[in-house]
Amino acid sequence: MGTFKDFDAPVFKDLTSAIRALAMDAVQKANSGHPGMPMGMAEIAEVLWIHHLRHNPGNPGWVDRDRFILSNGHGSMLIYALLHLTGYDLPMEEIKRFRQFHSKTPGHPEYGYTPGVETTTGPLGQGITNAVGMALAEKILAAEFNRPGYNIVDHHTYVFLGDGCLMEGISHEACSLAGTLGLGKLICFYDDNGISIDGHVEGWFTDDTPKRFESYGWHVVPNVNGHDPVAIEAAIEAAKQVNDKPTMICCKTVIGMGSPNMANTHSVHGAALGDAEIAATRPHIGWHHAPFEIPQEVYSAWDARAKGQKLETEWNIKFAEYAEKYPKEAAEFNRRMTGELPANWQSHVDSVLNQVNAKTETIASRKASQNAIEGLAPVLPELIGGSADLAGSNLTLWSGSKGISKVNGGNYVYYGVREFGMSAMMNGLSLHGGLIPYGATFLMFSEYARNALRMAALMKIRNIFVFTHDSIGLGEDGPTHQPVEQTATLRMIPNMDVWRPCDTVESTVSWARAIERKNGPSTLIFSRQNLPFQKRDAATIKLIDKGGYVLSEAGNAKAQAVLIATGSEVSLAMSAQKALADEGIHVRVVSMPCTSIFDRQEPSYKDSVLPKGIKRVAIEAGVTDFWRKYVGLDGAVVGIDSFGESAPADVLFKHFGFTVDNVVKTVKGIL
């Protein structure tokens, strides 16, 4: 990959000055951004990207590339400068359009916008946690596919992070687990510049970071001069020699390095330097070029296209040899990395669904979820499970589960009590490719994981978040554990499909659709208590895919009202339908396990399920406001707009009005 003898000191300075110049010029042109970190980490970036990072700008998706994560994503001009200089499809015009509408250089790095950006970062601490997931993915896939002499999965995950990432609690969750799992291919660079937005951090951040990471079981390289390429090179080489521990390289840097008057101040963290300071900085760093002007010799020194193509070609030759010796494994690896499901997937799903429907079981939907995993997982080796210390309650284990440890690969992660860390690691597992992660906790504790769920939706990645104990129905644990507003607020996340199935059949369908969904995450919400099986014909089962459907018609009469329900309240709606019919009131029952999918249907279908002009009542053990979009101001909602209580579930459902009598009364009240 090259040595320092390849570059004399003046050329090295020009390479790093190019980063500093692009950072300060782009931020100045946008009059917005964070120049301090890119200017402070320029030497670290040069050593890593030119001498160690295995990547191919001509093919950002090469499967065995090293992954680079800018966890301190506010310094986005650093990665944009690196991608531009090394030859990615990021022309100077996009650098000039930094932070502008629909540019490839948004304010924080966004997955899917910029070639070479591996994950969306900015919410501090999540980038390093995504990276832990990526390094774990590398470990899992290497254990499964590598053979003697053929390490076809063999790459590092490199991370830049700062004080903010280390202050965020999620970094403790993820880095602790990374040490426990011995993720030796994970190498992090801590930008220890002592400055955050509010100023010098010693007033609020005095952790002994090296000792902290040593206690996690990391290999730590302390006190590295982040502006000395020889020291940085030595630290990286030392990190690469340690295979059973992740590495934290603690780099002492000066924020805004090169700025004669603003370096080492919080003023340079998140604002443009200003024309006068930029004019003073140029000669100070030996850069005598106009804004956005890069000499050809600097471009040539940075250009990684030929080297990257050579690396990928060498890997392709190795993989071709691997495919000759291990054709089955090679075909499976290719399928997995392209994200395609097995050829027999649909027939297998149909078979599992037929078996579930034939059993007509009345069980908790969390148990129905476990049965669905048991049925579907045998043909999905890419399915990676896990739970935040609640496997026995979430029922996420199945007979083929194999726990991942420091010494073994597998398909199940014991995340410990780390809901946020789990969810952001799952994002990393998904982003890496070759795996479909699912992870679980109680629905109430989705609150801890909320921002990682949002990031999954923002990035449009295939991820499955499993939440059990979905309502006051969990009973005696009381209001601290009883979700009320959580299902509604999860539905409010754009591009998040939220399923709340009512029985075994809907639970199986929700799992199949979540696994199949390539362009976004799914949330599956399950009950603790038993839910009655609902009878359906084959045509009705197919309609579950539409997110909402007519489960039971109003007999032979025209419906006078429509009852809309989800999850455990569907059986209540069915009982209320019968009671109303006994009084001569005929209603239709609509099960709506996934409102977002229903909303995406054609207007004609939605009108056929929820006809215009017919009054509607929604029934769900959660906040009521969400359902107004379906019932209107002249409809009604049987819900709960207060916190729960500690009592047996049947007592709570009666207390909060989830009874046949109350539903009948509510329907009568709107007719």
Side-chain angles (χ1 to χ4, degrees):
M1 295 302 292
T3 70
F4 279 95
K5 294 178 181 178
D6 296 331
F7 299 98
D8 58 25
V11 173
F12 179 81
K13 185 175 181 181
D14 282 346
L15 300 185
T16 55
S17 293
I19 294 175
R20 292 188 168 102
L22 286 174
M24 66 183 184
D25 289 341
V27 172
Q28 184 66 28
K29 188 174 190 297
N31 195 28
S32 172
H34 301 74
M37 185 279 277
M39 297 176 74
M41 296 193 78
E43 285 84 4
I44 304 169
E46 193 278 349
V47 175
L48 175 65
W49 277 65
I50 286 184
H51 300 278
H52 293 277
L53 193 71
R54 294 170 52 86
H55 64 120
N56 181 8
N59 180 17
W62 171 37
V63 296
D64 202 39
R65 68 192 180 278
D66 290 338
R67 271 63 171 177
F68 174 78
I69 309 302
L70 191 75
S71 190
N72 41 357
H74 54 272
S76 56
M77 263 311 303
L78 178 60
I79 192 169
Y80 298 149
L82 291 165
L83 293 170
H84 170 75
L85 292 168
T86 54
Y88 284 79
D89 183 17
L90 192 67
M92 186 63 83
E93 286 306 309
E94 293 293 340
I95 302 294
K96 293 178 180 178
R97 295 182 63 232
F98 178 54
R99 287 184 161 232
Q100 303 309 300
F101 189 53
H102 284 170
S103 75
K104 289 184 179 181
T105 51
H108 290 82
E110 293 187 38
Y111 174 74
Y113 265 68
T114 315
V117 168
E118 300 281 3
T119 182
T120 300
T121 56
L124 294 175
Q126 290 200 61
I128 170 60
T129 310
N130 294 163
V132 172
M134 292 178 186
L136 178 58
E138 195 272 348
K139 176 187 177 79
I140 293 168
L141 292 168
E144 183 174 356
F145 287 102
N146 287 353
R147 297 293 183 271
Y150 294 98
N151 288 344
I152 61 166
V153 182
D154 186 13
H155 51 265
H156 286 84
T157 301
Y158 294 103
V159 186
F160 284 4
L161 72 161
D163 294 302
C165 289
L166 294 183
M167 283 187 260
E168 288 285 359
I170 189 174
S171 71
H172 296 259
E173 296 183 25
C175 294
S176 168
L177 187 55
T180 299
L181 294 176
L183 301 180
K185 295 287 189 65
L186 175 64
I187 299 176
C188 301
F189 299 81
Y190 167 33
D191 180 31
D192 184 8
N193 60 39
I195 298 286
S196 66
I197 292 176
D198 283 350
H200 290 271
V201 301
E202 64 260 21
W204 49 87
F205 184 56
T206 58
D207 296 13
D208 188 328
T209 297
K211 286 184 179 178
R212 170 186 160 187
F213 277 84
E214 285 173 3
S215 76
Y216 290 157
W218 285 52
H219 169 229
V220 178
V221 185
N223 298 313
V224 174
N225 182 344
H227 304 295
D228 178 356
V230 175
I232 299 164
E233 167 74 3
I236 297 174
E237 287 294 346
K240 285 183 166 182
Q241 299 307 309
V242 178
N243 297 316
D244 60 344
K245 296 179 180 181
T247 293
M248 179 63 71
I249 301 173
C250 300
C251 301
K252 293 288 186 181
T253 64
V254 175
I255 191 171
M257 181 70 170
S259 171
N261 301 302
M262 296 175 66
N264 202 35
T265 71
H266 71 278
S267 300
V268 77
H269 172 90
L273 273 65
D275 290 331
E277 185 65 13
I278 288 177
T281 301
R282 282 187 140 73
H284 195 68
I285 63 174
W287 191 255
H288 305 288
H289 309 285
F292 304 107
E293 180 183 316
I294 306 292
Q296 186 56 50
E297 61 267 24
V298 173
Y299 272 130
S300 296
W302 270 109
D303 193 347
R305 286 172 292 188
K307 182 166 60 178
Q309 185 56 59
K310 181 174 182 290
L311 289 169
E312 183 173 352
T313 299
E314 291 170 351
W315 183 88
N316 287 338
I317 292 170
K318 182 198 297 185
F319 187 78
E321 295 174 357
Y322 174 87
E324 285 188 14
K325 296 192 73 170
Y326 307 101
K328 181 179 177 182
E329 289 82 354
E332 176 67 7
F333 181 78
N334 282 330
R335 178 190 73 78
R336 299 264 291 273
M337 295 308 295
T338 59
E340 297 300 321
L341 294 174
N344 66 337
W345 169 251
Q346 191 55 59
S347 61
H348 184 76
V349 171
D350 292 343
S351 175
V352 171
L353 195 53
N354 288 336
Q355 293 174 39
V356 170
N357 191 48
K359 285 185 177 180
T360 69
E361 289 182 298
T362 291
I363 54 177
S365 58
R366 62 171 173 161
K367 179 61 179 175
S369 167
Q370 184 180 46
N371 291 347
I373 300 170
E374 189 72 45
L376 299 173
V379 300
L380 285 175
E382 61 263 52
L383 199 60
I384 303 297
S387 179
D389 203 50
L390 291 168
S393 293
N394 298 146
L395 302 185
T396 44
L397 288 165
W398 63 288
S399 61
S401 293
K402 298 177 182 177
I404 298 165
S405 69
K406 187 171 185 176
V407 296
N408 294 316
N411 63 2
Y412 194 88
V413 185
Y414 290 92
Y415 287 100
V417 187
R418 300 179 175 97
E419 296 88 357
F420 194 5
M422 171 185 72
S423 302
M425 282 180 62
M426 288 166 59
N427 289 347
L429 286 164
S430 181
L431 287 162
H432 179 279
L435 305 171
I436 301 175
Y438 70 90
T441 184
F442 290 169
L443 176 57
M444 175 53 65
F445 305 131
S446 65
E447 297 291 351
Y448 285 136
R450 175 74 54 163
N451 202 254
L453 273 62
R454 184 178 189 271
M455 295 294 281
L458 181 65
M459 291 188 281
K460 302 178 182 177
I461 56 178
R462 178 156 55 184
N463 224 337
I464 304 172
F465 301 104
V466 178
F467 299 123
T468 68
H469 296 60
D470 68 342
S471 73
I472 56 172
L474 70 88
E476 294 86 346
D477 278 341
T480 60
H481 285 53
Q482 292 167 3
V484 174
E485 74 276 22
Q486 282 66 37
T487 299
T489 56
L490 287 168
R491 290 179 180 134
M492 291 169 64
I493 300 174
N495 199 43
M496 176 70 77
D497 280 353
V498 178
W499 289 84
R500 187 171 183 247
C502 74
D503 68 352
T504 55
V505 172
E506 285 190 359
S507 295
T508 304
V509 171
S510 71
W511 264 104
R513 300 298 87 84
I515 289 167
E516 292 163 4
R517 189 178 187 223
K518 288 185 176 182
N519 63 346
S522 300
T523 292
L524 310 183
I525 296 177
F526 299 114
S527 72
R528 179 194 186 194
Q529 73 274 24
N530 289 345
L531 305 183
F533 177 84
Q534 304 296 334
K535 293 182 180 179
R536 306 169 185 82
D537 58 25
T540 304
I541 291 175
K542 290 185 180 299
L543 292 176
I544 298 172
D545 286 354
K546 295 184 178 292
Y549 63 100
V550 179
L551 176 63
S552 179
E553 274 292 7
N556 295 322
K558 180 180 179 181
Q560 296 165 263
V562 177
L563 302 182
I564 311 169
T566 76
S568 52
E569 286 68 69
V570 168
S571 62
L572 174 59
M574 294 291 284
S575 297
Q577 181 191 48
K578 184 176 184 301
L580 285 161
D582 291 342
E583 297 189 31
I585 300 172
H586 303 284
V587 300
R588 168 186 286 184
V589 174
V590 169
S591 177
M592 197 175 288
C594 187
T595 59
S596 57
I597 292 179
F598 179 76
D599 291 346
R600 294 197 292 266
Q601 302 306 309
E602 293 293 328
S604 59
Y605 176 77
K606 290 187 284 189
D607 289 344
S608 72
V609 176
L610 302 176
K612 291 182 172 65
I614 299 179
K615 299 289 183 68
R616 306 166 186 176
V617 174
I619 312 167
E620 185 172 65
V623 291
T624 60
D625 279 359
F626 171 84
W627 289 102
R628 287 293 167 189
K629 66 187 281 191
Y630 298 105
V631 304
L633 296 178
D634 59 347
V637 183
V638 177
I640 174 171
D641 289 315
S642 65
F643 295 119
E645 299 279 354
S646 179
D650 56 346
V651 173
L652 293 173
F653 278 121
K654 182 177 180 180
H655 172 75
F656 286 106
F658 293 95
T659 64
V660 170
D661 288 346
N662 189 43
V663 174
V664 169
K665 177 183 175 182
T666 302
V667 172
K668 289 180 177 179
I670 65 168
L671 291 178

